[in-house]
Short mmCIF file of all heavy atoms in Angstrom, two decimals:
data_model
loop_
_atom_site.label_atom_id
_atom_site.label_comp_id
_atom_site.label_asym_id
_atom_site.label_seq_id
_atom_site.Cartn_x
_atom_site.Cartn_y
_atom_site.Cartn_z
N VAL K 717 -34.87 13.03 -19.02
CA VAL K 717 -35.69 13.15 -20.22
C VAL K 717 -37.05 12.49 -20.00
O VAL K 717 -38.11 13.03 -20.37
CB VAL K 717 -34.97 12.53 -21.44
CG1 VAL K 717 -35.91 12.46 -22.63
CG2 VAL K 717 -33.73 13.34 -21.79
N VAL K 718 -37.06 11.31 -19.38
CA VAL K 718 -38.32 10.62 -19.09
C VAL K 718 -39.19 11.46 -18.17
O VAL K 718 -40.42 11.56 -18.38
CB VAL K 718 -38.03 9.23 -18.46
CG1 VAL K 718 -39.32 8.60 -17.94
CG2 VAL K 718 -37.36 8.31 -19.47
N LEU K 719 -38.59 12.08 -17.15
CA LEU K 719 -39.36 12.93 -16.25
C LEU K 719 -40.00 14.10 -16.99
O LEU K 719 -41.18 14.42 -16.76
CB LEU K 719 -38.45 13.46 -15.13
CG LEU K 719 -38.15 12.50 -13.98
CD1 LEU K 719 -37.14 13.13 -13.02
CD2 LEU K 719 -39.42 12.14 -13.22
N TYR K 720 -39.24 14.73 -17.89
CA TYR K 720 -39.79 15.86 -18.62
C TYR K 720 -40.89 15.43 -19.59
O TYR K 720 -41.87 16.16 -19.80
CB TYR K 720 -38.68 16.62 -19.36
CG TYR K 720 -37.91 17.55 -18.46
CD1 TYR K 720 -36.52 17.46 -18.36
CD2 TYR K 720 -38.55 18.51 -17.72
CE1 TYR K 720 -35.81 18.31 -17.52
CE2 TYR K 720 -37.85 19.37 -16.88
CZ TYR K 720 -36.48 19.26 -16.79
OH TYR K 720 -35.79 20.09 -15.96
N VAL K 721 -40.74 14.26 -20.19
CA VAL K 721 -41.81 13.74 -21.06
C VAL K 721 -43.08 13.54 -20.25
O VAL K 721 -44.19 13.90 -20.68
CB VAL K 721 -41.37 12.43 -21.73
CG1 VAL K 721 -42.55 11.77 -22.44
CG2 VAL K 721 -40.25 12.70 -22.73
N ARG K 722 -42.92 12.99 -19.06
CA ARG K 722 -44.09 12.77 -18.19
C ARG K 722 -44.71 14.10 -17.79
O ARG K 722 -45.94 14.25 -17.77
CB ARG K 722 -43.67 11.98 -16.96
CG ARG K 722 -44.77 11.84 -15.92
CD ARG K 722 -44.35 10.97 -14.75
NE ARG K 722 -45.29 11.06 -13.64
CZ ARG K 722 -46.48 10.48 -13.59
NH1 ARG K 722 -46.88 9.74 -14.61
NH2 ARG K 722 -47.26 10.62 -12.54
N ILE K 723 -43.87 15.09 -17.48
CA ILE K 723 -44.39 16.40 -17.08
C ILE K 723 -45.17 17.04 -18.23
O ILE K 723 -46.26 17.59 -18.03
CB ILE K 723 -43.23 17.31 -16.63
CG1 ILE K 723 -42.62 16.80 -15.32
CG2 ILE K 723 -43.71 18.75 -16.46
CD1 ILE K 723 -41.35 17.52 -14.92
N TYR K 724 -44.61 16.95 -19.44
CA TYR K 724 -45.31 17.53 -20.60
C TYR K 724 -46.65 16.83 -20.84
O TYR K 724 -47.63 17.46 -21.22
CB TYR K 724 -44.43 17.44 -21.85
CG TYR K 724 -43.55 18.65 -22.04
CD1 TYR K 724 -42.18 18.57 -21.81
CD2 TYR K 724 -44.08 19.87 -22.45
CE1 TYR K 724 -41.36 19.68 -21.99
CE2 TYR K 724 -43.28 20.98 -22.63
CZ TYR K 724 -41.91 20.88 -22.40
OH TYR K 724 -41.11 21.98 -22.57
N CYS K 725 -46.69 15.54 -20.62
CA CYS K 725 -47.95 14.81 -20.78
C CYS K 725 -48.99 15.31 -19.77
O CYS K 725 -50.17 15.43 -20.09
CB CYS K 725 -47.73 13.31 -20.61
SG CYS K 725 -46.79 12.53 -21.95
N VAL K 726 -48.53 15.62 -18.55
CA VAL K 726 -49.44 16.10 -17.52
C VAL K 726 -49.97 17.48 -17.84
O VAL K 726 -51.18 17.75 -17.79
CB VAL K 726 -48.75 16.08 -16.14
CG1 VAL K 726 -49.62 16.78 -15.10
CG2 VAL K 726 -48.46 14.66 -15.71
N VAL K 727 -49.06 18.40 -18.20
CA VAL K 727 -49.48 19.79 -18.42
C VAL K 727 -50.29 19.94 -19.71
O VAL K 727 -51.07 20.89 -19.85
CB VAL K 727 -48.27 20.74 -18.45
CG1 VAL K 727 -47.53 20.72 -17.14
CG2 VAL K 727 -47.32 20.40 -19.61
N ARG K 728 -50.11 19.00 -20.65
CA ARG K 728 -50.89 19.05 -21.89
C ARG K 728 -52.26 18.38 -21.74
O ARG K 728 -53.12 18.52 -22.60
CB ARG K 728 -50.12 18.38 -23.03
CG ARG K 728 -48.87 19.13 -23.46
CD ARG K 728 -49.22 20.49 -24.01
NE ARG K 728 -48.04 21.19 -24.51
CZ ARG K 728 -48.05 22.42 -24.98
NH1 ARG K 728 -49.18 23.10 -24.99
NH2 ARG K 728 -46.93 22.99 -25.41
N SER K 729 -52.43 17.68 -20.64
CA SER K 729 -53.69 16.99 -20.41
C SER K 729 -54.79 18.00 -20.09
O SER K 729 -54.58 19.00 -19.41
CB SER K 729 -53.55 16.00 -19.26
OG SER K 729 -54.82 15.50 -18.89
N SER K 730 -55.97 17.73 -20.56
CA SER K 730 -57.10 18.62 -20.29
C SER K 730 -57.48 18.62 -18.83
O SER K 730 -58.19 19.51 -18.36
CB SER K 730 -58.31 18.21 -21.13
OG SER K 730 -58.69 16.88 -20.85
N HIS K 731 -57.05 17.60 -18.10
CA HIS K 731 -57.38 17.50 -16.69
C HIS K 731 -56.32 18.13 -15.79
O HIS K 731 -56.47 18.15 -14.58
CB HIS K 731 -57.56 16.04 -16.27
CG HIS K 731 -58.61 15.33 -17.06
ND1 HIS K 731 -59.95 15.61 -16.93
CD2 HIS K 731 -58.51 14.37 -18.02
CE1 HIS K 731 -60.65 14.84 -17.76
NE2 HIS K 731 -59.78 14.06 -18.43
#
Side-chain angles (χ1 to χ4, degrees):
V717 171
V718 170
L719 281 175
Y720 280 125
V721 170
R722 173 176 168 76
I723 292 171
Y724 270 107
C725 290
V726 171
V727 299
R728 293 297 184 184
S729 170
S730 59
H731 302 290

